[in-house]
Amino acid sequence: MSNNQFRRGELYSVINGMASTAVARKLQKNFRQAGLEITIEQWSVLYHLWKEDCLSQQELCNRTFRDKPSITRLIDNLEKQKLVKRTASQTDRRINLVCLTDAAKELQSQTIDLANHTMNEALVGVTKDEIETVKQVFQRVYDNLT
Amino acid sequence: MSNNQFRRGELYSVINGMASTAVARKLQKNFRQAGLEITIEQWSVLYHLWKEDCLSQQELCNRTFRDKPSITRLIDNLEKQKLVKRTASQTDRRINLVCLTDAAKELQSQTIDLANHTMNEALVGVTKDEIETVKQVFQRVYDNLT
DNA sequence: TGAAATTAGTTGCATAACTAACTATATGTC
DNA sequence: GACATATAGTTAGTTATGCAACTAATTTCA
């Protein structure tokens, strides 16, 4: 095992365990402290609907990098909380369009402020160039594997 | 919301969804295809035990960035598969030392080869400097939030 | 047109994560 | 020595993930 290979194996451990879960945990904690009952996974679905409402479940799979059963259940839970509503597509009856409720629209600015605040705290001392590098590396890794 | 803040919010979405789960899924798939019945989470525990055997559960929490209930159940499952064994510490009866079995020791080289192979595939076209930047950013993010 | 293949979504089962509450042992302090 | 506090680990409940198998609707194409 070369030294280079070993360092690459280490990276996996770093990527998987450390930063992403630290950010997720912090954001979840900030939601809870603000009295918001949503999970970060649910939030990440809402995030994409705020950008474009009434997406199909398949489109939400693509945009959130989740599989279909995961989205089915996230939408189930979001529907229970009355944050989204499934509507059958007029043109293709296989498709559920997932649309935001008024309650979900009210969450938008508050939660996005919390997310930005969390990311600002997370990225203290990190430069724009470094952020750009991380994004490019991650896109590359994703493309390499899919 | 400034442009900079928005970009930072985007980064969360990238970190959380994309690269780390893509690597994890690929590695899990490679394990399965090689006939190995372990999950990547179990593997990440074994990985730290290969580096240093007979750690306490608390120490495994620290090294894998997991909480205590998660480690309890991972060790439960690893014990069911006869890959580790809990041994009460002689000096502090609160502590379980988690030690590898011979079966687990045999898994080491095969699974680490698979992990290195997966990471090599993931990191095609990524330079050493970029990897170094990602590691530094992640360490910084982790330190900023904990 | 009608059978085969594809696509969208759901369900069941196993593993894993987080929180909160819990037991047991060890330590610190008066 | 005894009581309060801290530490190690477990358990229960909810949510989320991955896989495989499934239904229903649509498209392809012979």
Side-chain angles (χ1 to χ4, degrees), chain A residues 34-47:
Chain A
L36 302 173
E37 299 277 307
I38 57 172
T39 67
I40 43 160
E41 292 84 1
Q42 292 170 359
W43 179 79
S44 81
V45 172
L46 294 178
Y47 180 81

Side-chain angles (χ1 to χ4, degrees), chain A residues 2-17:
Chain A
S2 81
N3 194 18
N4 182 44
Q5 280 184 314
F6 186 76
R7 242 184 273 124
R8 293 189 160 201
E10 280 286 335
L11 183 62
Y12 169 71
S13 163
V14 171
I15 287 179
N16 189 49

